[in-house]
Amino acid sequence: MPLVVLCGLPDSGRSRRADELRSALEAEGRPVTVVRDADVLGPGGPEALREAYSDSTREKALRAALKASVERDLGPRAVVLLDSLNYIKGFRYELYCLARAARTPLCLLYCLKPRPRAPGPSEDGRPQAGAAAGSWRPKAAEPEHGQQAGAPREAGEPPEEGSEQSPGSPASRLQGNTGSSTLCPEESRELGVTGPRAAEDLGPELARKPGPPEPGSPKQGPDLGFPPELLEALAQRFEAPDSRNRWDRPLFTVLGPEEPLPLAQIWAALFESQVPAPHQATQSQPLSSTNFLHQLDQVTSQVLAALMEAQKTAVPGDLLALPGTTERLLFTRPLSMAELSRLRRQFISYTKMHPNKENLPQLANMFLQYLGQSLH
């Protein structure tokens, strides 16, 4: 089943997004398996998580355990959600190769935290209670009757049914805003917005300082408890996803806890997209007969023994005919057993990587052809 890789710093609400996506998928009847750092670290809680990301050796072992868990859970049943930092592009490429080898779709969900800023006179610094929720339905093409497209909604007014996000949401501004406002380099780096999107206006809503949580609001999960110096170190070595890389697409970015998940696009990427063909390097080698290597060793040994015997009476320019072969070998100089044994080992190493039981009757001729091409 498909693989969803969640990416983001510890304070970006990534684990909460994983829970939201799992609930939405399970509501549609899709079984979901969530792989988290705590699942592979075992007992220890936040302290073990901090120690793992504070030491490069432990962090490497953690990534290896996460990869093994994902590979074990990939199968025909459940959707796999990998809830971890996943901030190294080399590790994301390994996950991409796993998905291609398993012939299953993959998408990346990138969680960003807005930069806080002190609220203005008319702002209370608290998120709106009527935050928009995601929907599996695609965005409606026509606006609601009596309301113009792009018209601002009143505070607390929910978006129209079937829409994935409100017109003023951060993701919609990322995708379609053409304003002239720009971000300073420090803001662009902190928000993780690079390339053409750095010149787009993200709006003042993203900079509101979050206030105290509303009663009954979901918790952030296991992302809390990182010391500031560790957060700074992780932010400095964070390699943000780039949709231009094939292992980072399709890429979905959510900004802040109020931004709804693009559920319709995620559904299309997971269940309606074409599965890419696996690379040849990730495909399993075809099964060979149980005695293929034994016959290969035996045939090549017989060819070498017959060649050493035939060259005792041969002169340069003769065509040597060996027993069990239909090919002829041009004799140009005396050959030592050490040189022939080295060529035999090379031929065996190449042939056992591409075993084919249909070539068993032709092994002697193939080896003789290889000797003829390698000796001249």
Side-chain angles (χ1 to χ4, degrees), residues 3-348:
L3 171 64
V4 181
V5 178
L6 289 96
C7 176
L9 289 172
D11 57 349
S12 60
R14 186 192 63 253
S15 296
R16 180 180 131 185
R17 294 297 190 175
D19 293 335
E20 292 179 7
L21 184 57
R22 177 181 61 182
S23 301
L25 288 170
E26 290 178 345
E28 295 292 325
R30 298 283 181 172
V32 180
T33 300
V34 181
V35 178
R36 287 193 167 103
D37 296 327
D39 299 334
V40 298
L41 284 175
E47 183 65 27
L49 189 61
R50 289 193 295 269
E51 292 178 357
Y53 283 107
S54 301
D55 183 80
S56 59
T57 303
R58 294 184 179 181
E59 183 181 352
K60 185 177 180 180
L62 174 61
R63 289 197 300 269
L66 289 172
K67 179 182 175 182
S69 298
V70 170
E71 186 175 9
R72 181 173 57 252
D73 293 332
L74 279 179
R77 294 185 178 180
V79 179
V80 180
L81 306 182
L82 177 57
D83 178 18
S84 184
L85 299 185
N86 299 320
Y87 67 97
I88 299 178
K89 61 182 178 181
F91 182 60
R92 296 198 298 267
Y93 177 75
E94 293 179 7
L95 297 173
Y96 164 79
C97 291
L98 281 182
R100 292 200 67 169
R103 300 188 179 185
T104 184
L106 173 143
C107 73
L108 190 70
L109 183 61
Y110 183 26
C111 302
L112 283 173
K113 181 182 180 182
R115 182 179 181 181
R117 187 169 62 185
S122 60
E123 298 176 354
D124 57 1
R126 300 171 60 183
Q128 298 180 2
S135 172
W136 291 116
R137 303 179 184 178
K139 187 175 181 180
E142 296 294 335
E144 242 179 45
H145 180 69
Q147 181 177 358
Q148 297 180 355
R153 295 178 179 269
E154 297 181 2
E157 181 181 355
E160 54 188 273
E161 184 180 0
S163 63
E164 299 163 5
Q165 56 193 15
S166 60
S169 62
S172 64
R173 286 191 294 274
L174 276 178
Q175 296 173 1
N177 185 26
T178 56
S180 59
S181 301
T182 59
L183 290 174
C184 64
E186 292 79 6
E187 292 174 333
S188 298
R189 284 194 298 268
E190 182 155 353
L191 284 173
V193 181
T194 57
R197 296 194 302 177
E200 298 178 356
D201 181 15
L202 299 183
E205 292 84 359
L206 296 181
R208 294 179 181 174
K209 183 178 180 180
E214 294 287 343
S217 60
K219 298 181 180 180
Q220 293 294 329
D223 281 349
L224 303 179
F226 281 78
E229 58 273 11
L230 180 56
L231 288 175
E232 180 67 21
L234 291 173
Q236 288 180 359
R237 61 178 186 257
F238 192 90
E239 296 176 336
D242 189 347
S243 59
R244 292 173 295 183
N245 301 326
R246 64 182 183 276
W247 58 86
D248 285 337
R249 63 173 182 257
L251 174 63
F252 306 103
T253 303
V254 288
L255 295 167
E258 301 173 359
E259 174 67 17
L261 288 175
L263 296 179
Q265 290 91 335
I266 293 177
W267 182 276
L270 297 181
F271 304 108
E272 299 175 5
S273 62
Q274 184 177 4
V275 178
H279 291 293
Q280 184 178 1
T282 61
Q283 290 182 343
S284 301
Q285 295 294 334
L287 297 176
S288 60
S289 59
T290 55
N291 61 344
F292 180 82
L293 291 180
H294 173 72
Q295 294 187 16
L296 178 62
D297 181 79
Q298 187 177 21
V299 168
T300 53
S301 298
Q302 293 174 357
V303 171
L304 286 193
L307 180 57
M308 292 297 296
E309 185 67 24
Q311 72 176 358
K312 294 180 180 179
T313 58
V315 296
D318 288 351
L319 291 175
L320 302 182
L322 304 181
T325 64
T326 57
E327 298 286 336
R328 300 294 181 93
L329 179 65
L330 179 63
F331 180 72
T332 56
R333 58 181 176 85
L335 304 172
S336 64
M337 179 57 73
E339 182 179 8
L340 292 175
S341 298
R342 177 178 58 84
L343 294 175
R344 173 176 172 268
R345 288 193 299 270
Q346 293 177 359
F347 177 77
I348 291 177

